[in-house]
Amino acid sequence: MNRQKDKNAIRKEILLYRSKLSKEDQINKSELMTKHILASDAFLSSQHIGLYYAVNGEVDAGSLTALDKSKQYYLPIVSNTPDQALSFAPISHTSQYKANKYSIPEPIYKEEELISGDKLDLVIMPLVAFDRHGNRLGMGGGYYDRTFSFKQGSIKKPTLLGIAYDFQKLESLAPEPWDIPLDMLATESKLIVF
Ligand code: ADP
Ligand code: MG
């Protein structure tokens, strides 16, 4: 199998498995991951934190906004800029939402509130699969890779923290030259620092 086909086959298999998780399982496991994150140094030392709006059985770490109100949280905005990078809009309990082109809710924002990914301290990222080296397979849009491509040098900030169920771990993923690896990952059973 060529690599692209291979990646798509992995995505299909894991997403099918994930779609069959019960709502109860999703909620319970998301709560365990959220606890690992809340107790981490990376979270405690961060002020500006990127989250994502969970859809299709994705792990939901949205409860962080209620569990620690001292932080400023942001959600990604899929823009139509030429570089196709994500930008981030601040959210609060009064935020209103509108679906983007992928039917994912995005907060309604004022242009001047948007920040670029390098202004965040910590980014909590969704993923389809990960391996023990922190390689990440996403949905195939490459958005997070483009947004954090500046981290390919020696730049440490922001910390990229993936969240996933234990079953999303694969023995090894062959990274592409543009793939940006995770710094940390939370599953229901543990927090891993790569
Ligand atoms: P995902 O990370 O969502 O699993 P991929 O890593 O397969 O998706 O990337 C999807 C596409 O995004 C790739 O075909 C690649 O061309 C493009 N891409 C990713 N990062 C960059 C980048 N830094 N510059 C330009 N294109 C990129
Ligand atoms: Mg990638």
Side-chain angles (χ1 to χ4, degrees), residues 15-163:
L15 293 179
L16 177 67
Y17 192 96
R18 194 175 71 185
S19 71
K20 291 180 180 163
L21 276 184
S22 68
K23 192 79 195 159
E24 194 187 357
D25 239 12
Q26 187 202 354
I27 292 170
N28 290 343
K29 288 179 175 168
S30 293
E31 195 181 312
L32 291 171
M33 294 171 206
T34 308
K35 279 191 184 149
H36 294 314
I37 296 172
L38 275 170
S40 70
D41 288 340
F43 181 82
L44 293 170
S45 64
S46 293
Q47 184 55 34
H48 298 277
I49 301 176
L51 294 174
Y52 62 89
Y53 199 109
V55 294
N56 301 328
E58 280 175 336
V59 177
D60 189 355
S63 63
L64 286 173
T65 60
L67 293 168
D68 189 334
K69 297 196 175 89
S70 72
K71 317 284 189 192
Q72 176 62 59
Y73 299 96
Y74 300 78
L75 283 178
I77 303 293
V78 174
S79 58
N80 286 316
T81 52
D83 66 353
Q84 290 280 299
L86 299 168
S87 45
F88 293 83
I91 51 166
S92 72
H93 64 281
T94 61
S95 292
Q96 301 208 20
Y97 295 83
K98 190 175 144 216
N100 67 17
K101 62 175 174 182
Y102 299 106
S103 303
I104 302 169
E106 288 184 350
I108 295 171
Y109 58 89
K110 296 194 191 87
E111 208 62 49
E112 65 268 22
E113 296 177 329
L114 282 188
I115 62 166
S116 51
D118 58 324
K119 303 294 187 307
L120 294 170
D121 302 315
L122 176 69
V123 190
I124 294 175
M125 295 166 47
L127 55 96
V128 176
F130 67 97
D131 71 7
R132 64 198 168 89
H133 301 295
N135 292 313
R136 169 185 180 272
L137 184 70
M139 291 290 286
Y143 280 97
Y144 283 94
D145 291 327
R146 284 190 296 278
T147 306
F148 299 105
S149 59
F150 62 86
K151 281 198 56 167
Q152 234 156 8
S154 55
I155 294 168
K156 295 267 189 294
K157 212 186 107 167
T159 301
L160 304 182
L161 197 174
I163 40 177

